[in-house]
Protein backbone atom coordinates (compact mmCIF):
# COMPACT_ATOMS: atom_id res chain seq x y z
CA UNK A 1 0.00 0.00 0.00
CA UNK A 2 1.39 3.43 -0.94
CA UNK A 3 2.53 5.79 1.77
CA UNK A 4 0.06 8.47 2.80
CA UNK A 5 1.56 11.95 2.89
CA UNK A 6 0.75 14.71 5.33
CA UNK A 7 -0.08 18.09 3.80
CA UNK A 8 3.40 19.39 4.65
CA UNK A 9 5.15 16.33 3.20
CA UNK A 10 3.13 16.54 0.00
CA UNK A 11 3.89 20.26 -0.38
CA UNK A 12 7.65 19.58 -0.08
CA UNK A 13 7.54 16.60 -2.47
CA UNK A 14 5.43 18.60 -4.94
CA UNK A 15 7.99 21.41 -5.13
CA UNK A 16 10.82 18.90 -5.67
CA UNK A 17 8.94 16.73 -8.19
CA UNK A 18 7.23 19.40 -10.31
CA UNK A 19 9.48 22.47 -10.59
CA UNK A 20 7.35 24.04 -13.36
CA UNK A 21 4.11 23.76 -11.34
CA UNK A 22 2.88 25.67 -8.32
CA UNK A 23 0.39 24.16 -5.88
CA UNK A 24 -2.43 26.65 -5.18
CA UNK A 25 -4.76 24.56 -3.01
CA UNK A 26 -4.40 22.16 -0.10
CA UNK A 27 -3.62 18.49 -0.56
CA UNK A 28 -6.39 16.23 0.79
CA UNK A 29 -5.38 12.85 -0.60
CA UNK A 30 -4.48 11.45 -4.01
CA UNK A 31 -8.06 11.19 -5.26
CA UNK A 32 -9.19 14.73 -4.40
CA UNK A 33 -8.76 17.57 -6.88
CA UNK A 34 -6.05 20.17 -6.34
CA UNK A 35 -5.54 23.49 -8.12
CA UNK A 36 -2.20 23.94 -9.85
CA UNK A 37 -0.58 26.74 -11.86
CA UNK A 38 1.90 26.15 -14.68
CA UNK A 39 4.78 28.61 -14.24
CA UNK A 40 5.64 28.46 -17.95
CA UNK A 41 2.20 29.33 -19.38
CA UNK A 42 0.64 30.95 -16.28
CA UNK A 43 -2.19 28.44 -16.80
CA UNK A 44 -4.34 27.41 -13.80
CA UNK A 45 -5.99 23.99 -13.87
CA UNK A 46 -7.52 21.37 -11.58
CA UNK A 47 -6.09 17.89 -11.43
CA UNK A 48 -5.66 14.97 -9.07
CA UNK A 49 -2.27 14.22 -7.49
CA UNK A 50 -2.33 10.65 -8.79
CA UNK A 51 -2.83 12.00 -12.34
CA UNK A 52 0.32 14.11 -11.93
CA UNK A 53 2.20 10.98 -10.82
CA UNK A 54 1.02 9.24 -14.01
CA UNK A 55 2.58 12.01 -16.10
CA UNK A 56 -0.43 14.20 -16.84
CA UNK A 57 0.27 17.88 -16.33
CA UNK A 58 -0.29 21.21 -18.00
CA UNK A 59 -2.32 20.80 -21.21
CA UNK A 60 -0.56 23.77 -22.83
CA UNK A 61 2.89 22.25 -22.16
CA UNK A 62 1.65 19.00 -23.66
CA UNK A 63 0.37 20.81 -26.77
CA UNK A 64 3.76 22.53 -27.18
CA UNK A 65 5.65 19.23 -26.92
CA UNK A 66 3.24 17.47 -29.27
CA UNK A 67 3.33 20.28 -31.82
CA UNK A 68 7.12 20.37 -31.85
CA UNK A 69 7.37 16.61 -32.30
CA UNK A 70 4.95 16.64 -35.26
CA UNK A 71 6.39 19.72 -36.98
CA UNK A 72 8.62 19.11 -40.02
CA UNK A 73 11.59 21.18 -41.13
CA UNK A 74 11.34 22.96 -44.48
CA UNK A 75 13.66 20.39 -46.06
CA UNK A 76 11.57 17.48 -44.74
CA UNK A 77 8.38 19.12 -46.02
CA UNK A 78 9.80 19.65 -49.52
CA UNK A 79 11.11 16.08 -49.64
CA UNK A 80 7.71 14.72 -48.65
CA UNK A 81 5.87 16.98 -51.10
CA UNK A 82 8.06 16.12 -54.08
CA UNK A 83 8.48 12.46 -53.20
CA UNK A 84 11.29 10.24 -54.48
CA UNK A 85 10.72 10.95 -58.20
CA UNK A 86 10.48 14.72 -57.69
CA UNK A 87 13.80 14.81 -55.85
CA UNK A 88 15.58 12.93 -58.67
CA UNK A 89 14.26 15.40 -61.29
CA UNK A 90 15.25 18.48 -59.30
CA UNK A 91 18.83 17.27 -58.71
Amino acid sequence: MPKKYSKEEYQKNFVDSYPTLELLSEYNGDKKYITVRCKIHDYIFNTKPNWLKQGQGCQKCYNDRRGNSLRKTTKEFIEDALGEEGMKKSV
Side-chain angles (χ1 to χ4, degrees):
M1 179 170 244
K3 179 185 175 199
K4 291 192 176 190
Y5 291 104
S6 70
K7 291 177 183 180
E8 295 79 23
E9 288 174 322
Y10 185 78
Q11 177 72 30
K12 183 182 180 320
N13 286 339
F14 187 89
V15 170
D16 295 340
S17 300
Y18 311 106
T20 61
L21 299 177
E22 177 184 0
L23 184 62
L24 300 178
S25 63
E26 279 196 21
Y27 170 76
N28 292 316
D30 265 0
K31 306 236 187 292
K32 305 281 184 181
Y33 280 94
I34 56 173
T35 304
V36 178
R37 182 180 73 84
C38 173
K39 295 177 183 178
I40 297 169
H41 296 103
D42 197 31
Y43 178 64
I44 297 173
F45 61 100
N46 293 318
T47 188
K48 293 181 181 180
N50 59 339
W51 292 349
L52 288 174
K53 289 179 195 172
Q54 294 170 2
Q56 297 178 13
C58 174
Q59 184 66 39
K60 292 186 178 192
C61 288
Y62 169 75
N63 290 341
D64 286 350
R65 284 192 311 272
R66 184 170 180 260
N68 290 336
S69 70
L70 296 176
R71 193 168 291 121
K72 296 179 181 182
T73 64
T74 303
K75 182 180 176 184
E76 290 171 335
F77 177 79
I78 291 171
E79 288 173 356
D80 287 349
L82 294 175
E84 291 266 334
E85 293 301 316
M87 288 300 291
K88 288 179 185 174
K89 290 180 184 175
S90 66
V91 173

